[in-house]
Amino acid sequence: MNAHARIIDPAALPASNFVILHGSLSPEGCVMTGGGFERDPHEARARVFAMESDAIAAIQQGRVAHGEAIVIAAADDAEMTAIFGAIAEAGLRDISLISNGRFAAASEGIVIGHVGKAIRYVQNFDTITIDIKNRRLDIDADMVARRADGPRGAKVKNGFAPMGKYAALMAEADAAQA
């Protein structure tokens, strides 16, 4: 091995298509992949869904507007791919997709995964700021207060039950085990 070898953060490379973000919505860090880097910084109004299938139905029914951030709060371990077809079919190339799910490396648009537990407290119409240059993912809500007042396996304010077992077992991205 070369004694002078060094690890280069791919996010620092000009052609990189992923970055690690931290902030009030993801204190432990999350991964952004795909495109959308020209929209930096970017603010989006949150549209929260329990599952990928709920978000797809809303897109197909025209209930997601241009420029919004689709937040999928209870994504399972499966790779989310079907939603990209719905987004493309609806012509919503300027939306952001935020989840704890996994996404394909070839995803288009602003795609943020492995956000962590704070995603449970995002509510419809919160403003989410994505600042790629400064590696930030922030929300305009007081997340500390929401966690203190938040549900413990009960129904949340924006209309879905967040699956208590999922919430109890979910770990932050930096604590995930391979």
Side-chain angles (χ1 to χ4, degrees), residues 162-177:
M163 294 192 271
K165 183 176 180 181
Y166 168 81
L169 297 175
M170 188 170 71
E172 302 292 346
D174 68 338
Q177 297 179 8

Side-chain angles (χ1 to χ4, degrees), residues 38-116:
E38 67 281 355
R39 296 185 285 154
D40 187 30
H42 175 69
E43 283 190 355
R45 190 174 66 157
R47 291 300 308 263
V48 181
F49 302 96
M51 305 295 289
E52 179 184 25
S53 58
D54 298 334
I56 291 170
I59 291 167
Q60 292 170 339
Q61 295 166 8
R63 293 187 287 128
V64 175
H66 287 276
E68 290 185 323
I70 295 173
V71 178
I72 302 175
D76 60 18
D77 233 5
E79 185 171 301
M80 299 171 68
T81 56
I83 195 163
F84 295 107
I87 290 168
E89 196 172 296
L92 295 172
R93 297 200 181 276
D94 61 344
I95 64 157
S96 307
L97 184 58
I98 302 171
S99 177
N100 277 319
R102 295 182 293 132
F103 303 103
S107 305
E108 286 189 39
I110 295 176
V111 180
I112 300 171
H114 309 287
V115 174

Side-chain angles (χ1 to χ4, degrees), residues 3-14:
H4 298 287
R6 64 187 174 119
I7 298 173
I8 298 174
D9 176 7
L13 299 174

